[in-house]
Amino acid sequence: MAQGHETETEKQERHARRHEAHVRASYAAFIRHLCDLGGMPPALAESAAVSVLSALERRLMPNGARNLESQLPRLLVEFLPPPEERPPRPHRFGREEMVASVAEDLLMPEDQAEVVVRTVLRAVQDQISEGEADKVASNLPSDLQALWRLTQ
């Protein structure tokens, strides 16, 4: 059917299909980039992204987490804990606890987990604006700032 003869419902359905394709494509591109950066398989990249971002968001103020999420692929954000399940205030922890949390989530040694954390943080920074990256860094303690900046 020619687009000029589409009903409103058909237009909405076409728009929804295009939107869904875009959502999937942006997520797939992020995961491919993470795989390329870290030389990891897609399943690990997906788990690592969720683990690292979940830990990072626990450390940020809720508004800061929302701002970060606004620049990430929507499908990735859907895998993160919803805002109502996050603490209302940042959980205070540093580099060691973040790496240990990711190591536990991914069932890997901490030295390997630190490499994964750095890789995910790098992929995230490649995805977000420089201004947002600076805002995230300014809300982290010095040892996590150093980890964040090591990836730049």
Side-chain angles (χ1 to χ4, degrees):
M1 175 182 282
Q3 284 187 341
H5 296 98
E6 279 183 318
T7 66
E8 190 58 35
T9 300
E10 289 169 331
K11 287 179 185 176
Q12 289 173 351
E13 288 172 354
R14 183 171 44 84
H15 174 75
R17 283 190 306 273
R18 277 200 305 233
H19 176 72
E20 184 60 31
H22 174 72
V23 166
R24 286 191 311 271
S26 64
Y27 175 73
F30 177 83
I31 295 300
R32 271 193 312 277
H33 181 59
L34 184 51
C35 289
D36 291 346
L37 284 175
M40 60 182 87
L44 176 56
E46 289 178 339
S47 297
V50 171
S51 178
V52 172
L53 282 167
S54 294
L56 179 62
E57 287 192 345
R58 284 193 305 272
R59 191 62 183 84
L60 299 174
M61 292 294 291
N63 197 39
R66 279 191 301 277
N67 290 341
L68 174 63
E69 286 179 357
S70 73
Q71 295 188 26
L72 296 173
R74 175 168 285 162
L75 190 53
L76 176 59
V77 172
E78 289 177 13
F79 291 127
L80 300 175
E84 60 273 7
E85 290 182 16
R86 297 181 205 153
R89 297 201 147 296
H91 178 73
R92 294 193 174 281
F93 61 85
R95 176 184 191 149
E96 209 171 281
E97 187 176 334
M98 181 172 189
V99 170
S101 171
V102 171
E104 184 179 329
D105 283 352
L106 301 179
L107 304 173
M108 64 177 49
E110 288 188 17
D111 59 334
Q112 188 180 354
E114 183 166 338
V115 173
V116 168
V117 169
R118 286 182 186 187
T119 303
V120 172
L121 294 179
R122 169 68 192 274
V124 166
Q125 289 180 59
D126 289 346
Q127 181 76 38
I128 65 176
S129 70
E130 189 174 325
E132 185 60 30
D134 289 343
K135 285 180 192 174
V136 169
S138 72
N139 286 291
L140 297 174
S142 59
D143 62 341
L144 279 176
Q145 276 184 11
L147 187 61
W148 178 260
R149 299 222 187 272
L150 277 173
T151 64
Q152 293 179 322

